[in-house]
Every structure is written in C-alpha cells, then in structure tokens.
Amino acid sequence: MLFAKKTFIALLFIIMLDYLLQHVIPRSFGNSPEHQWESNLIMAEAYQLKSNYENVIVGTSLANRINADLLDDNWYKLTLGGQSIYDGLAIIKENEYKPKRVFVEVNYINRDSDNAFFAALNNPVKESLNDLIPIFYSRNKPLGPIREILQYQILQPLFGLFYSAHKSETFSKAELRNELINSSIENLSQGIDPADLEEYFGRLEKELDAMSTYAEIVLFEMPIHETLCNQEQPKQIRVGIEEKFAYFRIIPIPDCSGYQTTDAVHLTQESANNYTEYFKTLSQE
C-alpha cells in the first residue's frame, strides 16, 4: 500500500512538472542546454520529431554559426558541436523521412563519430518515455529551467552590481584571441597522415554515395580566420574534396579575409550572417 501511494505521488509530480514546462514556464527556459552534449541531443531529438525538412545542413559547431533565421522553414541544422559530420549523417540515415538535399560541412572530416551519443539518442527506454511524457525529452529536463530561473531571475539582478564592481580581467580579449589563433595554427599546420586521410575520404565517399541515392549532396567549407585557411590540414582536405568529390556540387569557400572570428575558427555573429547570405545564394543555384 505504501509503495502504491509513493508511486502515485511520484507520477502526479511528474505530470504536474510536465504541465508547468509545457504551458507555464517560458519556452526559453526549457531550451537551454546544460552542456554541449545535451545541446546536441536537443537538436537531434527535434529533428527526429519533425524530420520532413527538404534541406538539412550537417556539420560541426563551425556550421552551427549559420543563422537559421535567415533561411526558410524548409531548412534544419544538424550541426553538432564537438562531434563529427558522421553523427549527423547517421541521424538522417536512420530516419524514415529523407530530405531532398543534404549540405555537408567538410572542415573536419577527420573527426570520428561518437557511438555513445548515438546510443543515448536512440535508447529504446528513453524513446518510450519521451512518447509517453514529453518532460523526458532532453530539452525539458527540469534542471535547465530551475538553473536559469535561479541564475537570471534571482542571482544576476541581486548581485549584478557587485559583480560589475569587482570584475577584473587578467588578460585582454585581444591577447586571448591571439593565443587561440596561435594554438590553432600549431594544430592545423600539422598535416594529416596521407594513409589516414585516404581512410577518411573513403569513409566519407561511402556515406555520401549511399545518401545520394535519395538526396542531392552539396559540400561546403566554413571560412575560418584568414591565417588558418591555408594551413596544411585545411589545404589537404580542400584539395582532396575537389579531386575526389567533383561529382557532387561544392560551394567554394569564400575569401577568409572577409570574415571575423571569435576564437580563430567560429565566426562572429556579423560574419556568420554574411556567410549565411553567401551560402543561401549559392545553395539555390
């Protein structure tokens, strides 16, 4: 009897919390991920729920800077930060509905897929709970809304003046930016081993050739800081893509000197908007 009572109370609490998240608490609270992994789950789950998009962009956090607000409703971004394009391609492949066009970012084709992420996304128990009670979707986890209410509605207004008065910076933004650029140069100047690169191209070719049976494939490269654009690693990938995938449409990378970044590889908002307009124009040709 006691167990049944506790079970009933727990279910009642879940239903009440689900109602609050769906109808009372502002949607912005429920959509704030706690970390990158959860942000990617939210993005992937949303695509699975409504996957009848004609155009899907697959990429990493670089392509995530593309401004979806400048595209129409037939576009969706599967741009998973910290992960690989193969994760996004796998999500499309597993879905019953197939898009007409898939735009694939190729900056980091040498990044391996995350099997743990895909297993978490397609956990059968989690999927059943999602269908039964929407609160179990990653975007509706109660910790996000609670943390945001605490942080933005209580702590920041209360202590904002105190934090502003005592805030100190140990280094300037310019110094940090230069440090990030130098670090990226060090990483990207080291070319990919030719044997490994061939293996990556082979995997990409297999994935894209299979997908091209039901969707048009368009490849593109995101612009990064101009000092990085022609480092050894980006050049290796760019040349290989042009040689091995010429039978697909390729949106050429624009002149990187015309774009600004926040951390050497991710575009600023203004540059992201400019690239989105460039991307949108060439995607329609």
Side-chain angles (χ1 to χ4, degrees), residues 36 40 43 57-66 77-88 103-112 220 222 224 265-266:
Q36 195 169 66
N40 292 340
M43 186 183 295
I57 301 172
V58 173
T60 66
S61 58
L62 274 66
N64 195 44
R65 298 297 292 159
I66 291 175
K77 296 193 305 180
L78 276 173
T79 46
L80 309 175
Q83 293 183 218
S84 81
I85 59 173
Y86 304 109
D87 296 312
F103 296 80
V104 184
E105 173 211 319
V106 296
N107 293 68
Y108 288 114
I109 66 165
N110 55 324
R111 185 177 289 171
D112 291 325
F220 69 98
M222 290 293 297
I224 53 180
V265 294
H266 296 92

Side-chain angles (χ1 to χ4, degrees), residues 64-200:
N64 195 44
R65 298 297 292 159
I66 291 175
N67 190 344
D69 293 336
L70 299 179
L71 305 174
D72 61 41
D73 293 338
N74 284 324
W75 288 81
Y76 192 82
K77 296 193 305 180
L78 276 173
T79 46
L80 309 175
Q83 293 183 218
S84 81
I85 59 173
Y86 304 109
D87 296 312
L89 293 174
I91 293 169
I92 294 175
K93 185 167 59 176
E94 292 296 317
N95 262 39
E96 181 177 356
Y97 182 88
K98 306 301 183 186
K100 291 183 178 180
R101 287 167 291 277
V102 179
F103 296 80
V104 184
E105 173 211 319
V106 296
N107 293 68
Y108 288 114
I109 66 165
N110 55 324
R111 185 177 289 171
D112 291 325
S113 55
D114 187 344
N115 294 330
F117 173 80
F118 204 70
L121 178 64
N122 295 306
N123 185 307
V125 175
K126 181 174 178 289
E127 288 181 345
S128 298
L129 289 173
N130 288 347
D131 293 337
L132 180 64
I133 306 177
I135 192 177
F136 287 103
Y137 280 109
S138 296
R139 70 177 186 273
N140 289 332
K141 287 183 178 179
L143 183 58
I146 292 171
R147 181 191 62 80
E148 284 207 28
I149 291 173
L150 181 64
Q151 179 179 349
Y152 296 110
Q153 304 300 311
I154 300 176
L155 293 181
Q156 279 194 1
L158 185 61
F159 297 109
L161 293 176
F162 174 82
Y163 289 142
S164 297
H166 293 79
K167 185 177 179 181
S168 63
E169 295 186 1
T170 56
F171 47 82
S172 68
K173 289 183 178 179
E175 289 173 332
L176 175 59
R177 186 165 172 270
N178 288 336
E179 184 178 338
L180 290 170
I181 291 172
N182 290 334
S183 175
S184 296
I185 289 176
E186 184 178 349
N187 291 331
L188 296 181
S189 63
Q190 301 174 14
I192 305 170
D193 180 89
D196 292 337
L197 190 60
E198 284 302 313
E199 186 175 336
Y200 286 119

